[in-house]
Amino acid sequence: MPASLLIKNGRIIDPANTVDCVRDLLIVDGRIADSATALPAGASEIEEIDASGCWVVPGLIDMHVHLREPGEEYKEDILSGTRAAAAGGFTAVACMPNTKPVNDSRAVTVLILSQAEKADARVYPVAAISQNSQGSALTEFGELRANGAVALSDDGLPVRDSQLMRRALEYAADHGLLVISHSEEPSLSNGVMNEGIVSTRLGLKGIPTAAESIMVYREIALAECLGKRVHIAHVSCAMSAELIRSAKARGVRVTAETAPHYFTLTDEAVTGYNTNAKMNPPLRTEQDRQAIRQGLADGTFDAIATDHAPHSILDKEVEFDRAMNGIIGLETSLPLSLALVREGVLDEQKLIELLSVNPAHILGVEGGTLSVGARADVTVIDPDLAFTYTEEQVVSKSKNSPFLGEKLQGRAVYTIMGGRITHTLS
Amino acid sequence: MTTGYFFSHRHILDIEHLSADDIDYILTTAESFKEISARSIKKVPTLRGNTIINLFFEPSTRTRLSFEIAAKRMSADTFNISASTSSATKGETLIDTARNISAMNPDIIILRHSFSGAPHLLSQYVDAAVINAGDGTHEHPSQGLLDMMTVREHKKRLNDLKIAIIGDILHSRVAHSDILGFLRMGSEVFVYGPGTLIPPGLKELGVTVCSTMKEAVEDADVLMTLRIQKERQNDPLLPSFREYATEYGVTAKVASWARPDALIMHPGPINRGIELMPDVADGPQSVILDQVTNGVAVRMALLYLVTGNGNK
């Protein structure tokens, strides 16, 4: 690694410092340096990147991914998952605990972090709320925090017991940990796609939006009544967005994320029994998609997260009812999100807040800024670069994306983690 | 028939993707085959040398038998595989099963499966033509076609009819195929049943969802009742079959609201005394057994057409 890296002529978009201008960015010893005053001696050692026409932004952070290690390394592992992250412009990811075994103990958290030492993105483990994510007894939040967990979630398995959720919010606050809710009322969610005309047409069992919104409201009610904070994962529908918007307006400490597929696709994508459009929560209607875009524009949503869920062909090339839920997302999140800027939903600053600044703040981790002295996690984006997303390009071990074959626009050309270039678009 | 019509379907996966011309052509073909079943020697050599596999992952008597009779009357060689849905838990996926069967070079695979979309999946992995013999709660296209054939036979048309469908629309793949088929042919479809068994989105399809039995049945040309699927009652969809019979059962009084020449239909098997009272099921307006007879003719037509014979 060269001691210094000079990114020249890029458009620096740094919402944390309300900067948006074309200038150079200097990185020295893995940190952002003041390019005006801190040019080091021995300038020949400086590696230069020409970022003309590109955006230079704080490294993107995906606060919701599944890396499948330990346990299902045939789908993804920490190294392959973080390579996919770097290829997508991400310098950090938070990984969900539904591994095998579940990350509900120090041993698993430490294993993840030890694997992550060699990885191409920072890995922030999210530990389970309950032991084995079974929803009956809390995990050891203090020890998990001490060993590197940044948040708690039983992701994929909603916490059925409201009392347990209440205790989790209270106890997590003592340890400065974020609780992330996979909001879904299990008794209403035993379908395989959104409930509506498309599910009727295809003869597939539907999941109503109420399955999500009922649980979103429970989390809001708990957070409001206890004065604690809660984060709602992967919001998919209009009703949930409205609940979060009104809760925020009354000062409830709730944050929320949505995913690129919810603002890009609708349940029509399932037509033809496309298992690469099967996910949980499911793709919703056009009305929901518009509401999600509105929620991104008006600040209802704090973050765009991918819910990157790699599954092998064995899990997807089956009858729709039998297929696993989830799609990969790390390599398509940025182009799909950039479309929101082109379509006038967001401005550039707001986009970078959603993809970098806010995830860092919500998780309480370093990042999301290009301030002098900050760790040099930087993404260089060519917002106009058009490409067709093909299976051959997919860096993730799994290829389960509904966007394969689509023409996308904008991607990361360099990803830099702590001054080290982890991805160069060749 | 439209001039220059060409039957272009390699598989019969659903009614949704059949045009009015396709349906018309299939029914006309079926009508021409119906006479074969009335002969003393009920066999023609049309599909001699063709191999047809009945791949049934779900129990079925009449549909399987109907396809088998249809195939044998056309001199095809038929093979029946009854696989339990749980065979997947033994390790073999549907695609592996398909590839293995495909390696034996069958011409047609007839698939019945408890999961919606299974025939679509199968059709992507085999060279044979695939005919959907009922998939999950999606469609049962050959049944929809035989229902249309029966109505056309008696009413001499398929447009401008009022079709009333009563009962479990949600789980009925037959209802889904009938709805799409009759709408496509220019008739109106009215449905009535308990709210728990009416799926969302029917209005967007063009169906009238009625709030009373009378609204659905009054002046109907066809009164189609559906089987209450007792095996699906683990979800609290109905308080009791007794109440269902009272509220949603088709009695002689209900049938009297329809046109005097209305057809009484049922895909079978009938839960007598629950969704359909015996005097109606066996009454003069009932065409339930005609449906069964026409099933063979429709299936003969489908086998004939998917093997590419229709355009010779």
Side-chain angles (χ1 to χ4, degrees):
Chain A
M1 181 178 82
S4 305
L5 182 64
L6 184 64
I7 304 169
K8 297 187 74 173
N9 297 317
R11 176 179 168 192
I12 311 277
I13 302 173
D14 181 14
N17 293 298
T18 56
V19 168
D20 186 348
C21 65
V22 174
R23 64 168 167 78
D24 298 345
L25 187 77
L26 180 65
I27 294 168
V28 177
D29 293 331
R31 299 223 161 241
I32 309 287
D34 186 336
S35 51
T37 61
L39 273 168
S44 62
E45 287 178 33
I46 299 178
E47 185 178 343
E48 290 188 1
I49 288 175
D50 179 12
S52 304
C54 293
W55 299 356
V56 179
V57 306
L60 308 184
I61 301 170
D62 189 340
M63 61 181 299
H64 191 141
V65 308
H66 300 267
L67 296 178
R68 306 294 186 212
E69 184 179 0
E72 291 180 308
E73 290 85 352
Y74 70 100
K75 298 183 178 187
E76 193 80 286
D77 57 42
I78 289 167
L79 295 184
S80 71
T82 54
R83 272 200 298 277
F90 291 93
T91 55
V93 296
C95 62
M96 286 292 156
N98 59 342
T99 46
K100 293 179 179 171
V102 169
N103 180 14
D104 61 358
S105 67
R106 181 179 73 135
V108 181
T109 302
V110 167
L111 171 90
I112 290 168
L113 287 172
S114 76
Q115 288 296 91
E117 282 171 13
K118 304 180 284 281
D120 283 343
R122 300 181 198 286
V123 175
Y124 296 112
V126 177
I129 292 171
S130 66
Q131 292 171 28
N132 202 26
S133 290
Q134 291 301 297
S136 49
L138 295 178
T139 56
E140 294 174 331
F141 292 3
E143 185 167 80
L144 289 162
R145 170 79 189 175
N147 284 280
V150 298
L152 300 158
S153 180
D154 278 354
D155 183 76
L157 292 166
V159 177
R160 288 167 185 259
D161 184 330
S162 302
Q163 177 74 338
L164 188 80
M165 192 62 175
R166 171 207 169 130
R167 296 307 181 209
L169 294 179
E170 290 170 336
Y171 193 54
D174 295 345
H175 296 280
L177 282 168
L178 175 74
V179 175
I180 301 173
S181 166
H182 174 109
S183 297
E184 198 175 32
E185 164 51 42
S187 65
L188 283 172
S189 60
N190 58 348
V192 295
M193 68 171 297
N194 182 53
E195 183 176 292
I197 170 120
V198 183
S199 65
T200 296
R201 230 175 55 214
L202 296 175
L204 293 172
K205 194 159 166 52
I207 303 173
T209 52
E212 176 179 304
S213 301
I214 286 171
M215 203 62 118
V216 167
Y217 188 71
R218 182 194 76 172
E219 313 304 31
I220 287 169
L222 285 171
E224 185 163 19
C225 141
L226 303 168
K228 306 298 184 192
R229 69 184 183 128
V230 69
H231 179 80
I232 311 292
H234 46 49
V235 175
S236 71
C237 65
M239 203 191 305
S240 302
E242 182 49 39
L243 288 168
I244 294 161
R245 182 180 295 118
S246 67
K248 281 186 162 181
R250 5 180 242 282
V252 181
R253 297 172 69 197
V254 58
T255 52
E257 73 196 31
T258 188
H261 36 273
Y262 299 122
F263 60 73
T264 308
L265 299 175
T266 67
D267 55 358
E268 287 286 352
V270 177
T271 301
Y273 303 93
N274 179 8
T275 56
N276 280 340
K278 183 178 177 183
M279 57 200 72
N280 197 22
L283 295 170
R284 305 290 190 183
T285 64
E286 179 61 19
Q287 184 204 347
D288 292 303
R289 189 180 82 94
Q290 292 299 338
I292 296 297
R293 289 158 74 90
Q294 175 59 34
L296 285 162
D298 68 19
T300 299
F301 296 114
D302 304 275
I304 294 171
T306 63
D307 193 8
H308 178 79
H311 288 297
S312 84
I313 200 163
L314 297 173
D315 305 300
K316 285 291 193 182
E317 231 178 40
V318 292
E319 300 90 325
F320 196 87
D321 287 76
R322 285 205 171 108
M324 301 289 277
N325 280 311
I327 65 167
I328 55 169
L330 282 164
E331 297 163 66
T332 48
S333 177
L334 179 58
L336 296 172
S337 302
L338 282 163
L340 296 172
V341 176
R342 283 197 304 277
E343 290 157 14
V345 178
L346 302 175
D347 63 22
E348 295 86 339
Q349 295 268 332
K350 184 79 186 160
L351 178 74
I352 302 309
E353 285 175 19
L354 289 159
L355 284 170
S356 176
V357 183
N358 296 349
H361 286 167
I362 294 166
L363 293 171
V365 299
E366 203 176 338
T369 174
L370 297 176
S371 299
V372 170
R375 209 160 58 180
D377 291 353
V378 181
T379 305
V380 180
I381 298 166
D382 182 340
D384 301 318
L385 189 62
F387 66 106
T388 302
Y389 183 58
T390 61
E391 192 167 326
E392 296 70 43
Q393 301 172 21
V394 176
V395 175
S396 170
K397 273 190 191 177
S398 293
K399 319 293 175 195
N400 51 312
S401 168
F403 300 108
L404 289 174
E406 294 291 316
K407 288 200 173 89
L408 303 176
Q409 191 177 337
R411 63 196 306 189
V413 287
Y414 293 98
T415 308
I416 299 153
M417 178 181 76
R420 172 167 78 89
I421 298 174
T422 52
H423 157 74
T424 307
L425 187 67
S426 50
Chain B
M1 188 65 49
T2 309
T3 318
Y5 172 81
F6 186 85
F7 186 80
S8 59
H9 298 275
R10 172 150 176 62
H11 309 287
I12 303 291
L13 303 177
D14 48 41
I15 296 280
E16 187 178 357
H17 293 96
L18 296 179
S19 68
D21 281 347
D22 291 330
I23 292 170
D24 191 46
Y25 189 60
I26 293 167
L27 299 187
T28 303
T29 309
E31 281 156 11
S32 71
F33 281 136
K34 189 173 176 181
E35 165 271 330
I36 295 167
S37 296
R39 296 180 191 174
S40 56
I41 295 175
K42 302 174 181 60
K43 206 166 179 105
V44 292
T46 316
L47 293 183
R48 194 167 56 198
N50 281 266
T51 305
I52 298 178
I53 295 184
N54 276 320
L55 180 55
F56 276 57
F57 282 85
E58 224 184 35
S60 159
T61 306
R62 75 181 64 200
T63 301
R64 192 182 59 71
L65 185 61
S66 182
F67 269 112
E68 192 171 357
I69 288 174
K72 289 197 161 144
R73 286 195 179 153
M74 303 190 88
S75 303
D77 298 313
T78 64
F79 301 88
N80 292 315
I81 304 174
S82 297
S84 153
T85 318
S86 65
S87 65
T89 59
K90 293 177 192 161
E92 186 162 73
T93 64
L94 177 63
I95 291 168
D96 278 339
T97 306
R99 284 178 173 143
N100 274 290
I101 292 173
S102 199
M104 300 178 212
N105 298 316
D107 298 288
I108 303 174
I109 299 174
I110 295 155
L111 179 70
R112 155 76 60 103
H113 202 285
S114 58
F115 288 138
S116 300
H120 292 71
L121 183 68
L122 186 77
S123 70
Q124 292 162 29
Y125 291 89
V126 296
D127 295 327
V130 175
I131 298 178
N132 178 5
D135 63 327
T137 57
H138 173 229
E139 281 213 44
H140 193 346
S142 62
Q143 175 81 38
L145 289 162
L146 73 87
D147 287 344
M148 284 186 272
M149 179 178 177
T150 307
V151 171
R152 189 161 99 163
E153 215 169 51
H154 288 271
K155 297 289 172 195
K156 312 298 177 203
R157 67 180 197 278
L158 282 174
N159 59 330
D160 296 328
L161 296 170
K162 175 174 176 177
I163 314 288
I165 305 181
I166 310 300
D168 181 357
I169 312 294
L170 178 67
H171 296 112
S172 175
R173 50 198 174 203
V174 175
H176 296 166
S177 287
D178 281 341
I179 286 170
L180 295 168
F182 283 109
L183 288 174
R184 175 105 349 131
M185 299 314 284
S187 284
E188 283 190 285
V189 177
F190 292 67
V191 302
Y192 178 64
T196 50
L197 298 176
I198 302 292
L202 287 181
K203 276 184 199 156
E204 291 161 83
L205 285 177
V207 173
T208 305
V209 179
C210 302
S211 48
T212 64
M213 179 75 95
K214 190 154 196 173
E215 185 190 351
V217 174
E218 199 155 40
D219 296 327
D221 297 287
V222 173
L223 178 48
M224 177 111 47
T225 49
L226 300 173
R227 190 171 70 86
I228 273 293
Q229 305 194 17
K230 291 184 176 175
E231 62 274 22
R232 294 197 190 271
Q233 297 307 321
N234 49 351
D235 196 7
L237 295 165
L238 294 174
S240 68
F241 294 120
R242 191 179 74 87
E243 176 156 293
Y244 183 87
T246 312
E247 301 281 324
Y248 305 99
V250 171
T251 59
K253 184 182 170 198
V254 167
S256 74
W257 298 333
R259 291 171 58 91
D261 60 348
L263 305 177
I264 304 291
M265 300 178 75
H266 191 291
I270 305 169
N271 294 303
R272 284 175 181 264
I274 298 181
E275 70 261 6
L276 189 58
M277 303 313 137
D279 52 341
V280 187
D282 303 329
Q285 291 165 253
S286 170
V287 293
I288 294 169
L289 294 176
D290 293 12
Q291 292 174 266
V292 179
T293 303
N294 288 337
V296 174
V298 156
R299 287 166 181 132
M300 286 168 82
L302 293 177
L303 298 175
Y304 176 76
L305 293 173
V306 296
T307 44
N309 287 294
N311 300 306
K312 281 181 183 168

